[in-house]
Amino acid sequence: MDRIVDIATDGRHLSAHRGFLVVTEERCEVGRIPLDDVCAVIIHAHGVTWTTNLVVALAERGAILLLCGPNHAPVAVCLPLEGHHAQNARIRAQLEAGRPLLKQLWRQVVVAKISWQAAVLQSCGISASAFDLLARKVRSGDPDNVEAQAARRYWPLLMGEAFRRDREAEGVNALLNYGYTILRSLCARSAVAAGLHPSMGIHHANRTNAFALADDLMEPLRPLVDALALRLVAAGIDTVSPEAKRAFAGLIALDLPGEGATTTVAGAAQRTAQTLATAFQTGRSGDLVLPRPPSRLELAGLGALIR
């Protein structure tokens, strides 16, 4: 099972030994986990050291090493160079994708994100009829910026009129930063595993953003983080505490509706990346399969992550 390893205690040392990621402090072991189970290692603490052998072992398994700043947002990442047997052909197709295809793909992503926002609002007992209309208004490339129109409605409805999204703020904003970091690492890993390069997005295009494609892939899943952050605050957890980190780490195993069967957040991210690679190679935006919005019952599973 994919697992997120979060290192939040200063002075820890990370190494690989006989198939395990081993964490030590002052030469005493404090924990270990099978390397084959690791999806990503996220480091927040200061003075943490690691061996080259560990980084190589993670890369060989398609896992990533991600470093975060004080606001819990990622600032650096170590990604595998190889993730798929057809990587060369897929990255070439990704690089050569034309603007019409990219605009159609982005339209699908925006429509999916708005649908997920509606599902989260409805699970909270909030009417989301306007979001169905907004989703139908999205055109190729979203030239009308319907995504932003939906966001202006969504945040006050979900978090209250006083809420302002601020990446540098504490409280629920810090929880959102951390949750999005989990999703970014998952989607970056999924992109590499599909033979794609995570820095070449379909919409996000900041030259300094090593996660541009991961940011695109995670857009429909963002409301899951929002919903979990809201539940954490309701449970009295309004800082990035160990309890909050455990909840967000467990998010990748949450059940979601799949194609004919139940899948998980991790499985949905992998399918999205794989089908995006296919869309790049075929030139057909319809080949992209985005995660379907969860039902109220499936979103109720978020409560089980808080303990």
Side-chain angles (χ1 to χ4, degrees), residues 180-286:
Y180 295 153
T181 295
I182 295 289
L183 285 186
R184 285 179 112 191
S185 63
L186 174 65
C187 290
R189 182 184 188 237
S190 298
V192 172
L196 300 174
H197 200 291
S199 69
M200 294 188 293
I202 59 178
H203 176 74
H204 291 90
N206 190 317
R207 291 184 178 182
T208 63
N209 185 3
F211 291 91
L213 183 60
D215 286 342
D216 291 330
L217 295 177
M218 68 182 271
E219 288 293 351
L221 297 171
R222 280 178 179 266
L224 275 182
V225 169
D226 309 337
L228 181 52
L230 192 65
R231 284 166 171 78
L232 285 166
V233 171
I237 304 171
D238 59 359
T239 62
V240 185
S241 63
E243 294 82 5
K245 290 179 180 180
R246 280 196 295 271
F248 282 119
L251 191 63
I252 66 173
L254 184 75
D255 285 342
L256 292 180
E259 296 298 312
T262 300
T263 185
T264 62
V265 172
Q270 290 163 12
R271 181 164 177 75
T272 297
Q274 291 288 350
T275 57
L276 177 60
T278 300
F280 282 140
Q281 290 185 292
T282 63
R284 297 191 301 262
S285 62

Side-chain angles (χ1 to χ4, degrees), residues 9-291:
T9 303
D10 294 347
R12 296 284 168 89
H13 178 71
L14 314 181
S15 61
H17 180 68
R18 295 185 176 180
F20 286 86
L21 186 163
V22 180
V23 183
T24 58
E25 184 174 356
E26 296 182 352
R27 300 191 178 185
C28 294
E29 182 176 322
V30 294
R32 62 171 57 201
I33 181 173
L35 284 163
D36 290 337
D37 290 353
V38 178
C39 168
V41 178
I42 301 176
I43 298 178
H44 296 265
H46 300 286
V48 176
T49 58
W50 54 85
T51 65
T52 301
N53 286 346
L54 172 63
V55 178
V56 170
L58 291 170
E60 288 174 343
R61 291 162 172 80
I64 69 172
L65 179 70
L66 187 137
L67 310 180
C68 292
N71 64 347
H72 306 288
V75 295
V77 63
C78 178
L79 292 163
L81 285 176
E82 294 185 17
H84 191 275
H85 65 87
Q87 184 179 63
N88 185 283
R90 290 189 167 187
I91 288 182
R92 186 176 297 277
Q94 179 185 6
L95 185 62
E96 294 175 351
R99 289 300 303 166
L101 174 61
L102 296 178
K103 290 167 68 174
Q104 283 293 332
L105 291 169
W106 181 240
R107 175 190 173 277
Q108 291 176 237
V109 169
V110 173
V111 170
K113 180 180 182 179
I114 293 173
S115 298
W116 274 70
Q117 289 173 332
V120 165
L121 289 173
Q122 289 167 349
S123 75
C124 297
I126 301 169
S127 173
S129 56
F131 287 77
D132 294 333
L133 177 61
L134 287 169
R136 291 195 294 271
K137 288 173 58 178
V138 182
R139 295 187 290 149
S140 178
D142 191 20
D144 305 311
N145 205 4
V146 179
E147 181 194 17
Q149 296 176 42
R152 284 195 294 271
R153 291 174 178 264
Y154 171 73
W155 286 114
L157 287 171
L158 185 69
M159 297 289 186
E161 292 290 341
F163 176 78
R164 294 294 181 273
R165 178 72 180 112
D166 183 350
R167 286 169 56 90
E168 304 303 323
E170 296 297 324
V172 69
N173 274 290
L175 291 173
L176 293 172
N177 287 346
Y178 185 80
Y180 295 153
T181 295
I182 295 289
L183 285 186
R184 285 179 112 191
S185 63
L186 174 65
C187 290
R189 182 184 188 237
S190 298
V192 172
L196 300 174
H197 200 291
S199 69
M200 294 188 293
I202 59 178
H203 176 74
H204 291 90
N206 190 317
R207 291 184 178 182
T208 63
N209 185 3
F211 291 91
L213 183 60
D215 286 342
D216 291 330
L217 295 177
M218 68 182 271
E219 288 293 351
L221 297 171
R222 280 178 179 266
L224 275 182
V225 169
D226 309 337
L228 181 52
L230 192 65
R231 284 166 171 78
L232 285 166
V233 171
I237 304 171
D238 59 359
T239 62
V240 185
S241 63
E243 294 82 5
K245 290 179 180 180
R246 280 196 295 271
F248 282 119
L251 191 63
I252 66 173
L254 184 75
D255 285 342
L256 292 180
E259 296 298 312
T262 300
T263 185
T264 62
V265 172
Q270 290 163 12
R271 181 164 177 75
T272 297
Q274 291 288 350
T275 57
L276 177 60
T278 300
F280 282 140
Q281 290 185 292
T282 63
R284 297 191 301 262
S285 62
D287 287 334
L288 173 63
V289 178
L290 292 163

